[in-house]
Amino acid sequence: MKRIRLTDANDPRFARAWRLYKASFPPDERRRLSSQRRILHRQIYHFDIVMDNKLFIGILLWWEFENVRYIEHLAVAPPLRGMQRGERILHRFLTESDLPVWLEVEYPKDELKQRRINFYRRVGFALNLHPYVQPAYEKSTSPVPLLVMTYPEAITEPDMRYFCREYQPALTDYS
């Protein structure tokens, strides 16, 4: 498996990735296409597709900040779920840098959301219970209360406040 960074929404591979993105995340947890087009060119943002030879596996959308790598979205194509592809994507991602990795998960209100948390725990992420709200990605969407999971260890509440102050502004694009 390899990740391929896309920086242009006109790339023919982008359409398939975009369909998976839209199908995998609720409207308040994703960007509109116009916003995605604007951030694709940012040096610190990565819109990666994951391929295994010619087989489209999924997407990994992430930010590389000075002190942390932040996974914004990870999705595996539905026919390939449950085959440990997501774990392999994450394991490889975690070995590429010594920076800590953060990601968001929904509160475990149902079995599916609890399974997602357990998936990340199996990979080595710690669940943090500090208050956190994902900023609205668009003017037309709402902020979303979520939980943060971190690798290789849990974080402190001051770490959370620092992240929100220093890095969250980059996540929004209201242009």
Side-chain angles (χ1 to χ4, degrees):
M1 280 193 305
K2 73 176 186 174
R3 286 197 332 265
I4 301 166
R5 185 176 184 181
L6 302 183
T7 58
D8 184 351
N10 294 319
D11 184 307
R13 299 168 292 189
F14 183 84
R16 176 182 244 173
W18 188 252
R19 283 192 304 274
L20 176 61
Y21 175 74
K22 285 185 68 176
S24 299
F25 301 97
D28 281 346
E29 294 180 34
R30 66 177 192 247
R31 302 176 194 287
R32 290 187 325 252
L33 182 57
S34 59
S35 294
Q36 190 66 246
R37 285 178 186 275
R38 279 191 296 278
I39 67 170
L40 278 174
H41 306 291
R42 290 187 185 176
Q43 186 64 30
I44 61 173
Y45 181 70
H46 299 256
F47 188 109
D48 295 347
I49 59 170
V50 182
M51 302 291 295
D52 192 356
N53 294 313
K54 294 184 182 203
L55 179 64
F56 174 73
I57 303 297
I59 58 172
L60 179 65
L61 314 182
W62 61 282
W63 297 80
E64 185 151 26
F65 295 117
E66 183 178 343
N67 299 316
V68 66
R69 295 171 103 196
Y70 167 73
I71 296 174
E72 190 171 272
H73 297 97
L74 167 67
V76 172
L80 303 174
R81 291 179 184 161
M83 299 178 181
Q84 299 182 331
R85 306 274 183 147
E87 287 183 32
R88 291 201 319 246
I89 292 166
L90 282 174
H91 281 298
R92 183 169 293 165
F93 183 79
L94 295 173
T95 64
E96 295 171 352
S97 170
D98 291 333
L99 290 176
V101 177
W102 292 36
L103 55 82
E104 302 164 344
V105 292
E106 295 170 301
Y107 279 84
K109 296 179 181 176
D110 59 41
E111 183 182 344
L112 178 61
K113 292 173 179 123
Q114 183 61 56
R115 284 179 40 216
R116 284 188 191 127
I117 290 170
N118 292 339
F119 162 77
Y120 289 115
R121 280 186 167 145
R122 283 194 308 275
V123 176
F125 282 83
L127 182 63
N128 300 275
L129 300 177
H130 312 298
Y132 177 78
V133 176
Q134 172 195 286
Y137 287 146
E138 307 282 348
K139 285 182 181 177
S140 61
T141 62
S142 300
V144 182
L146 296 170
L147 296 171
V148 171
M149 296 188 78
T150 52
Y151 177 91
E153 58 194 15
I155 57 165
T156 65
E157 194 161 347
D159 293 333
M160 179 73 74
R161 285 193 305 269
Y162 178 83
F163 177 88
C164 292
R165 182 179 66 249
E166 296 297 318
Y167 301 130
Q168 267 191 342
L171 306 178
T172 58
D173 183 286
Y174 298 139
S175 307

